[in-house]
């Protein structure tokens, strides 16, 4: 039953995720911006509406209030980890709110919105559940339209979403034992907030960070990392470092990403450049890594009947190329919703699910033995 629901959610979310991108290519940026812009101006919700992260209801999942999706794994996944202490994973989900009735999603969700959130626990955060307890906050995510505009409304919407994430993380720090190792993970909008969090809480994380998995969002080696006090993961067995990757197949068109990112001011206060974008290959766990399909421990894919989710090992290789991760090999059919430009953004975790799980376990062991 869980597998069936999982695959159904993948279909819905990938459909949602590509709708705006296809609209951009078919009808142009002007129509897309007009159709996606939330109505009216941003209005700060009343303080009484702010989430209280001392309450279990403000979390999608957390220890003591786990949901099955956070504990899910494929039937053919390797067995449990041994010998290392459990870490605590703080996971920030990507954008699921595409409505235009407000600039920020409501904190409470039900129906399809709740199903969407739970999907990401199953397809992404589940990679860390073998070695850690997963904490995933509900937050008032910025609506999709906020990413298409550079104005005060958009900035305030993203700011509100980040403030929720920051408050949730502070509660997380207060409740996790002081000697517990920490894993940070996100995707897309979640990774954007994660980069700010790494800079704002770098002192609290010092000595505790196993690794930060910043999937589906660009990070500047010179323009961002210095503000975080971190380095990119250069070897597969180091801890306290950062992984960032963006998946494309050839022929790749990355202009939508570079056009929106290059020239913006990084967290370190300097402009981001095309050559500054870093890529850590999740197959190898190394900066600018290159790996054949045989190195892939398992891509998370559905069967042709859309009834089961299984791992397909040895199918997808990848290499870093000018800041992007280019996939190759016999790429399984993950669904019909690869984004224009051969952008596999939706599948940044699924393509390398088993390797991400193994990478986190390896870095936790490195953290313990440091």
């Amino acid at each position: 039953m869980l597998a069936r629901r999982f695959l159904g959610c993948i279909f819905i979310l990938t459909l949602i995720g590509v709708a705006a991108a296809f609209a951009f290519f078919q009808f142009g940026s002007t129509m897309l911006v007009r159709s996606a812009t939330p109505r009216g101006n941003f209005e700060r919700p009343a303080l009484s509406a702010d989430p209280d992260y001392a309450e279990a209801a403000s979390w999608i999942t957390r220890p003591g209030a786990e949901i099955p999706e956070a504990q899910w794994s494929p039937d053919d996944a390797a067995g449990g980890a041994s010998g290392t202490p459990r870490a605590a994973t703080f996971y920030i989900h990507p954008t699921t709110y595409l409505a235009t009735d407000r600039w920020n999603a409501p904190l409470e969700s039900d129906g399809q919105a709740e199903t969407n959130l739970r999907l990401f626990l199953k397809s992404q955060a589940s990679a860390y559940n073998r070695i850690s307890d997963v904490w995933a906050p509900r937050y008032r995510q910025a609506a999709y339209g906020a990413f298409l505009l550079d104005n005060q409304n958009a900035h305030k919407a993203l700011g509100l979403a980040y403030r929720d994430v920051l408050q949730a993380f502070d509660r997380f720090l207060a409740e996790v034992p002081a000697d517990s190792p920490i894993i940070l993970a996100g995707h897309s909008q979640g990774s954007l907030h994660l980069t700010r969090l790494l800079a704002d809480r770098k002192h609290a994380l010092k000595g505790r960070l196993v690794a930060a998995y910043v999937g589906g969002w660009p990070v500047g080696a010179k323009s961002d990392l210095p503000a975080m006090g971190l380095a990119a993961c250069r070897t597969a067995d180091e801890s306290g470092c950062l992984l960032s990757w963006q998946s494309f197949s050839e022929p790749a068109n990355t202009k939508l990403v570079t056009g929106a990112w290059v020239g913006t001011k990084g967290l370190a206060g300097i402009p981001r450049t095309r050559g500054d974008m870093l890529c850590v290959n999740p197959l190898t766990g190394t900066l600018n890594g290159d790996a054949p399909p045989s190195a892939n421990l398992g891509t998370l894919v559905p069967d042709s009947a859309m009834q089961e989710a299984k791992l397909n090992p040895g199918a997808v290789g990848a290499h870093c190329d000018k800041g992007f991760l280019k996939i190759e090999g016999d790429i399984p059919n993950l669904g019909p919703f690869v984004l224009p430009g051969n952008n596999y953004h939706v599948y940044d975790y699924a393509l390398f699910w088993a390797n991400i799980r193994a990478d986190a376990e390896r870095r936790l062991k490195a953290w313990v033995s440091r």
Side-chain angles (χ1 to χ4, degrees):
M1 180 62 72
L2 281 179
R4 188 172 291 109
R5 290 177 181 171
F6 167 65
L7 293 169
C9 290
I10 282 182
F11 177 86
I12 292 167
L13 275 185
T14 51
L15 179 62
I16 289 173
V18 301
F22 275 115
F24 181 91
F25 277 80
Q26 291 291 325
F27 306 113
S29 60
T30 301
M31 180 175 290
L32 175 58
V33 170
R34 185 183 303 119
S35 64
T37 299
R39 293 189 293 273
N41 291 318
F42 170 88
E43 293 184 8
R44 173 64 163 92
L47 293 177
S48 60
D50 286 358
D52 180 0
Y53 290 105
E55 301 292 333
S58 296
W59 299 84
I60 310 169
T61 192
R62 55 160 292 171
E66 294 94 345
I67 60 174
E69 290 83 357
Q71 299 172 311
W72 179 88
S73 64
D75 292 339
D76 49 350
S82 60
T84 55
R86 287 186 71 76
T89 293
F90 186 82
Y91 166 79
I92 313 170
H93 69 77
T95 306
T96 62
Y97 195 73
L98 299 182
T100 59
D101 62 325
R102 63 190 80 193
W103 284 91
N104 291 84
L107 191 67
E108 303 81 11
S109 63
D110 54 21
Q112 190 57 55
E114 182 67 14
T115 300
N116 293 347
L117 291 177
R118 288 173 178 249
L119 164 67
F120 287 114
L121 268 292
K122 295 181 74 170
S123 62
Q124 297 182 352
S126 62
Y128 308 103
N129 64 19
R130 187 167 69 176
I131 59 165
S132 70
D133 300 317
V134 177
W135 300 64
R138 299 182 183 277
Y139 70 98
R140 292 168 293 187
Q141 59 181 284
Y144 177 76
F147 290 88
L148 303 177
L149 298 163
D150 183 14
N151 61 28
Q152 286 300 310
N153 287 321
H155 297 165
K156 289 176 180 178
L158 288 166
L160 177 67
Y162 175 65
R163 283 193 294 275
D164 283 358
V165 168
L166 188 61
Q167 290 177 13
F169 185 69
D170 286 343
R171 170 56 60 173
F172 166 82
L173 286 178
E175 296 201 23
V176 171
D179 58 349
S180 292
I182 291 173
I183 294 170
L184 296 178
H187 187 251
S188 199
Q189 179 174 169
S191 285
L192 168 63
H193 299 315
L194 179 52
T195 60
R196 292 185 62 183
L197 182 68
L198 284 163
D200 288 343
R201 292 295 181 265
K202 61 184 176 184
H203 298 300
L205 287 165
K206 187 174 182 179
R208 300 187 65 183
L209 184 65
V210 174
Y213 294 84
V214 186
W217 196 264
V219 176
K222 296 179 180 178
S223 55
D224 293 317
L225 287 183
M228 306 175 193
L230 291 177
C233 294
R234 295 184 175 275
T235 66
D237 58 356
E238 65 180 308
S239 63
C241 55
L242 181 145
L243 299 87
S244 176
W245 70 99
Q246 301 170 89
S247 310
F248 285 78
S249 69
E250 296 287 9
N253 184 344
T254 63
K255 291 182 179 179
L256 282 178
V257 177
T258 56
W261 188 77
V262 172
T264 60
K265 182 182 291 186
L267 295 172
I270 61 175
R272 295 171 172 127
T273 65
R274 180 66 184 82
D276 192 36
M277 190 183 297
L278 67 84
C279 171
V280 177
N281 190 333
L283 290 180
T284 64
T286 59
L287 181 65
N288 297 323
D290 187 342
S294 59
N296 194 318
L297 301 177
T299 297
L300 191 63
V301 296
D303 64 15
S304 59
M306 297 293 284
Q307 294 295 312
E308 299 292 338
K310 293 186 177 181
L311 290 174
N312 186 349
V316 181
H319 67 278
C320 289
D321 178 21
K322 298 178 181 178
F324 291 96
L325 187 68
K326 303 292 184 63
I327 60 174
E328 57 208 11
D330 186 14
I331 302 171
N333 181 12
L334 299 175
F337 302 111
V338 177
L339 302 181
N342 290 317
N343 185 346
Y344 277 73
H345 177 78
V346 173
Y347 307 108
D348 279 322
Y349 271 77
L351 284 162
F352 317 107
W353 189 92
N355 286 76
I356 293 170
R357 170 169 279 204
D359 186 272
E361 181 174 347
R362 188 172 56 246
R363 295 189 194 282
L364 177 57
K365 291 179 179 179
W367 184 91
V368 170
S369 61
R370 69 196 190 290

